[in-house]
PDB file of all heavy atoms in Angstrom:
ATOM      1  N   ARG P 150     185.392 181.165 145.557  1.00 93.00           N
ATOM      2  CA  ARG P 150     186.540 181.482 144.673  1.00 93.00           C
ATOM      3  C   ARG P 150     186.234 181.092 143.232  1.00 93.00           C
ATOM      4  O   ARG P 150     185.683 180.023 142.970  1.00 93.00           O
ATOM      5  CB  ARG P 150     187.734 180.682 145.101  1.00 93.00           C
ATOM      6  CG  ARG P 150     188.315 181.138 146.395  1.00 93.00           C
ATOM      7  CD  ARG P 150     189.631 180.397 146.604  1.00 93.00           C
ATOM      8  NE  ARG P 150     190.076 180.544 147.916  1.00 93.00           N
ATOM      9  CZ  ARG P 150     191.054 179.773 148.488  1.00 93.00           C
ATOM     10  NH1 ARG P 150     191.624 178.811 147.680  1.00 93.00           N
ATOM     11  NH2 ARG P 150     191.432 179.950 149.675  1.00 93.00           N
ATOM     12  N   THR P 152     187.528 179.613 140.710  1.00 94.00           N
ATOM     13  CA  THR P 152     188.643 178.741 140.285  1.00 94.00           C
ATOM     14  C   THR P 152     188.321 178.271 138.845  1.00 94.00           C
ATOM     15  O   THR P 152     187.188 178.247 138.420  1.00 94.00           O
ATOM     16  CB  THR P 152     188.732 177.509 141.186  1.00 94.00           C
ATOM     17  OG1 THR P 152     187.554 176.740 141.118  1.00 94.00           O
ATOM     18  CG2 THR P 152     188.966 177.878 142.584  1.00 94.00           C
ATOM     19  N   ARG P 190     182.253 167.594 143.050  1.00 96.00           N
ATOM     20  CA  ARG P 190     182.127 168.618 144.070  1.00 96.00           C
ATOM     21  C   ARG P 190     181.738 169.946 143.475  1.00 96.00           C
ATOM     22  O   ARG P 190     180.989 170.709 144.080  1.00 96.00           O
ATOM     23  CB  ARG P 190     183.428 168.742 144.842  1.00 96.00           C
ATOM     24  CG  ARG P 190     183.570 167.493 145.809  1.00 96.00           C
ATOM     25  CD  ARG P 190     184.575 167.706 146.861  1.00 96.00           C
ATOM     26  NE  ARG P 190     185.834 167.179 146.458  1.00 96.00           N
ATOM     27  CZ  ARG P 190     186.559 166.312 147.210  1.00 96.00           C
ATOM     28  NH1 ARG P 190     186.090 165.872 148.326  1.00 96.00           N
ATOM     29  NH2 ARG P 190     187.757 165.890 146.779  1.00 96.00           N
TER      30      ARG P 190
ATOM     31  P    DA E  53     192.874 180.224 158.408  1.00 73.56           P
ATOM     32  OP1  DA E  53     192.683 180.888 159.720  1.00 73.56           O
ATOM     33  OP2  DA E  53     193.490 178.921 158.382  1.00 73.56           O
ATOM     34  O5'  DA E  53     191.472 180.154 157.699  1.00 73.56           O
ATOM     35  C5'  DA E  53     190.939 181.338 157.100  1.00 73.56           C
ATOM     36  C4'  DA E  53     190.323 181.040 155.752  1.00 73.56           C
ATOM     37  O4'  DA E  53     191.329 180.625 154.840  1.00 73.56           O
ATOM     38  C3'  DA E  53     189.334 179.844 155.808  1.00 73.56           C
ATOM     39  O3'  DA E  53     188.242 180.171 154.931  1.00 73.56           O
ATOM     40  C2'  DA E  53     190.159 178.701 155.251  1.00 73.56           C
ATOM     41  C1'  DA E  53     191.090 179.388 154.325  1.00 73.56           C
ATOM     42  N9   DA E  53     192.377 178.716 154.115  1.00 73.56           N
ATOM     43  C8   DA E  53     193.160 178.035 155.076  1.00 73.56           C
ATOM     44  N7   DA E  53     194.261 177.554 154.576  1.00 73.56           N
ATOM     45  C5   DA E  53     194.284 177.882 153.290  1.00 73.56           C
ATOM     46  C6   DA E  53     195.205 177.678 152.245  1.00 73.56           C
ATOM     47  N6   DA E  53     196.394 177.045 152.396  1.00 73.56           N
ATOM     48  N1   DA E  53     194.910 178.183 151.010  1.00 73.56           N
ATOM     49  C2   DA E  53     193.752 178.816 150.845  1.00 73.56           C
ATOM     50  N3   DA E  53     192.816 179.077 151.753  1.00 73.56           N
ATOM     51  C4   DA E  53     193.084 178.623 152.973  1.00 73.56           C
ATOM     52  P    DT E  56     188.184 173.610 142.817  1.00 73.56           P
ATOM     53  OP1  DT E  56     188.308 174.210 141.461  1.00 73.56           O
ATOM     54  OP2  DT E  56     186.952 172.946 143.277  1.00 73.56           O
ATOM     55  O5'  DT E  56     189.382 172.567 143.022  1.00 73.56           O
ATOM     56  C5'  DT E  56     190.687 172.925 142.495  1.00 73.56           C
ATOM     57  C4'  DT E  56     191.636 171.767 142.610  1.00 73.56           C
ATOM     58  O4'  DT E  56     191.766 171.428 143.962  1.00 73.56           O
ATOM     59  C3'  DT E  56     191.145 170.478 141.877  1.00 73.56           C
ATOM     60  O3'  DT E  56     192.261 170.161 140.913  1.00 73.56           O
ATOM     61  C2'  DT E  56     191.014 169.442 143.010  1.00 73.56           C
ATOM     62  C1'  DT E  56     191.878 170.022 144.128  1.00 73.56           C
ATOM     63  N1   DT E  56     191.343 169.728 145.512  1.00 73.56           N
ATOM     64  C2   DT E  56     192.182 169.119 146.376  1.00 73.56           C
ATOM     65  O2   DT E  56     193.351 168.804 146.091  1.00 73.56           O
ATOM     66  N3   DT E  56     191.694 168.962 147.683  1.00 73.56           N
ATOM     67  C4   DT E  56     190.438 169.293 148.103  1.00 73.56           C
ATOM     68  O4   DT E  56     190.114 169.091 149.246  1.00 73.56           O
ATOM     69  C5   DT E  56     189.615 169.958 147.140  1.00 73.56           C
ATOM     70  C7   DT E  56     188.196 170.360 147.471  1.00 73.56           C
ATOM     71  C6   DT E  56     190.080 170.093 145.844  1.00 73.56           C
ATOM     72  P    DG E  57     191.968 169.037 139.836  1.00 73.56           P
ATOM     73  OP1  DG E  57     192.713 169.326 138.611  1.00 73.56           O
ATOM     74  OP2  DG E  57     190.506 168.730 139.768  1.00 73.56           O
ATOM     75  O5'  DG E  57     192.661 167.715 140.542  1.00 73.56           O
ATOM     76  C5'  DG E  57     194.023 167.846 140.882  1.00 73.56           C
ATOM     77  C4'  DG E  57     194.497 166.653 141.634  1.00 73.56           C
ATOM     78  O4'  DG E  57     193.888 166.662 142.975  1.00 73.56           O
ATOM     79  C3'  DG E  57     194.120 165.297 141.019  1.00 73.56           C
ATOM     80  O3'  DG E  57     195.271 164.469 140.980  1.00 73.56           O
ATOM     81  C2'  DG E  57     193.087 164.772 141.973  1.00 73.56           C
ATOM     82  C1'  DG E  57     193.410 165.366 143.302  1.00 73.56           C
ATOM     83  N9   DG E  57     192.294 165.599 144.255  1.00 73.56           N
ATOM     84  C8   DG E  57     191.122 166.159 143.959  1.00 73.56           C
ATOM     85  N7   DG E  57     190.327 166.304 144.991  1.00 73.56           N
ATOM     86  C5   DG E  57     191.123 165.791 146.060  1.00 73.56           C
ATOM     87  C6   DG E  57     190.809 165.677 147.410  1.00 73.56           C
ATOM     88  O6   DG E  57     189.759 165.971 148.028  1.00 73.56           O
ATOM     89  N1   DG E  57     191.855 165.100 148.162  1.00 73.56           N
ATOM     90  C2   DG E  57     193.034 164.723 147.621  1.00 73.56           C
ATOM     91  N2   DG E  57     193.982 164.235 148.475  1.00 73.56           N
ATOM     92  N3   DG E  57     193.360 164.865 146.343  1.00 73.56           N
ATOM     93  C4   DG E  57     192.346 165.358 145.609  1.00 73.56           C
TER      94       DG E  57
END
Side-chain angles (χ1 to χ4, degrees):
Chain P
R150 291 187 195 166
T152 62
R190 285 197 267 233

